[in-house]
Amino acid sequence: SQQGEEDPQALSIQEGENATMNCSYKTSINNLQWYRQNSGRGLVHLILIRSNEREKHSGRLRVTLDTSKKSSSLLITASRAADTASYFCATGGGGTSYGKLTFGQGTILTVHP
Amino acid sequence: KAGVTQTPRYLIKTRGQQVTLSCSPISGHRSVSWYQQTPGQGLQFLFEYFSETQRNKGNFPGRFSGRQFSNSRSEMNVSTLELGDSALYLCASSLPSRETQYFGPGTRLLVL
């Protein structure tokens, strides 16, 4: 079963615009991660935010976490055509999760040149 | 370091057959997890192996099994294939107790 919902399910923007994706989860967490998947290939880890952090940056990525609302958002600034991919949030993985990541349904991002 | 590799990349089988997929983790990574990805169910956790022991298992029938070898390479096996087993099977490796996983390119299985 999925951990939660991501919205929007699909997002279409022009190059240079910002893209914001949201993720909600159901249970308490120690951390939340975001992954990217290009066209049915393997997933690539983007960023991890811990439950005691509210915001984290990595290059053009900004992630926020609101544990009171059980939600996270991923912002990609100044989008490029190469950012076209599916983006997934995931919880778990370490400690007693024993290798189990629980993923959201994902957001399909299309960036038009 | 070389990334996670999976073989084969594509596979076509017929119902009732069995299949074995292979995964070689990043050197030094002893934890290997397997996931099934389908359009309907999304990404679902199958199982995780560490030091040749299955530590965690998802909600899949017993037709899905796996193992890990002493060099951390892992295989998963699906017996008596069903049409619904058509999916992208992803393997991921990580350092012990670390949350971040590194994924292979996946094996796309089509069951006819």
Side-chain angles (χ1 to χ4, degrees), chain B:
Chain B
K1 281 185 180 178
V4 177
T5 59
Q6 292 187 244
T7 56
R9 294 291 311 278
Y10 303 93
L11 208 47
I12 300 175
K13 292 285 187 179
T14 56
R15 277 182 301 173
Q17 288 187 309
Q18 75 166 16
V19 67
T20 299
L21 311 181
S22 181
C23 171
S24 291
I26 292 172
S27 177
H29 287 192
R30 293 164 58 195
S31 172
V32 175
S33 298
W34 288 88
Y35 297 86
Q36 180 196 65
Q37 185 178 26
T38 60
Q41 298 298 315
L43 282 153
Q44 301 213 301
F45 173 79
L46 280 157
F47 30 64
E48 186 257 9
Y49 285 86
F50 176 77
S51 291
E52 303 178 64
T53 301
Q54 186 184 90
R55 295 194 302 179
N56 203 353
K57 188 177 190 301
N59 189 25
F60 279 82
R63 299 185 297 107
F64 292 82
S65 63
R67 60 177 175 169
Q68 187 180 36
F69 302 94
S70 58
N71 62 357
S72 295
R73 189 177 70 86
S74 178
E75 290 181 347
M76 68 163 282
N77 183 277
V78 188
S79 62
T80 319
L81 284 165
E82 301 177 358
L83 296 179
D85 297 333
S86 294
L88 180 66
Y89 290 89
L90 293 162
C91 160
S93 73
S94 66
L95 292 167
S97 298
R98 299 301 293 270
E99 304 92 343
T100 299
Q101 295 185 4
Y102 299 85
F103 284 78
T107 294
R108 188 164 295 281
L109 171 66
L110 177 61
V111 182
L112 301 175

